[in-house]
Amino acid sequence: MTSIVVGAHVYFGPDVKVFDHNHVAARPRCPDRTPAAAQAAAVEIGAGSWIDAGATILAGARIGRHTTVGAGAVVPRGDYPDHATLFGVPARPSTRPPTATASSTFGDMAEPDGQAGYSAA
């Protein structure tokens, strides 16, 4: 109803749903729940993001660049930072610190049990 903007190199897992509108019952206690009014707000997904399987992104969500949305997460209206990991229902940024640091060589990696000195050549 408004817009869904997806940045470059955004990857979607299976069964992802993105909505830029929502129908709200104007009279919730009425048995037929009519008339329904539409609420609409643009959705933005930043470049380089990964939206995992079964995630749902709701109207008004603005997801930053290089952000990961976990499987089954429901992302409500709001602004989410770049490089975040969002998970849960409703989705929230992870507060867990990174567990590993990047390495440019394999020299600091441990050998698997029984494989010390193994050579593929």
Side-chain angles (χ1 to χ4, degrees), residues 14-112:
D15 299 320
V16 170
K17 298 165 203 70
V18 181
F19 299 102
D20 68 346
H21 66 283
N22 185 23
H23 293 284
V24 179
R27 301 179 309 169
R29 288 188 173 80
C30 183
D32 62 359
R33 300 182 72 86
T34 58
Q39 294 178 331
V43 172
E44 297 175 20
I45 302 172
S49 293
W50 169 260
I51 314 301
D52 212 344
T56 302
I57 300 172
L58 301 177
R62 287 179 297 283
I63 298 171
R65 297 176 304 116
H66 304 283
T67 294
T68 301
V69 176
V74 177
V75 182
R77 170 187 306 263
D79 293 330
Y80 299 91
D82 294 345
H83 306 282
T85 300
L86 307 174
F87 63 95
V89 179
R92 293 174 298 280
S94 172
T95 56
R96 185 176 185 184
T99 57
T101 57
S103 175
S104 61
T105 65
F106 292 109
D108 59 345
M109 294 178 66
E111 293 287 337

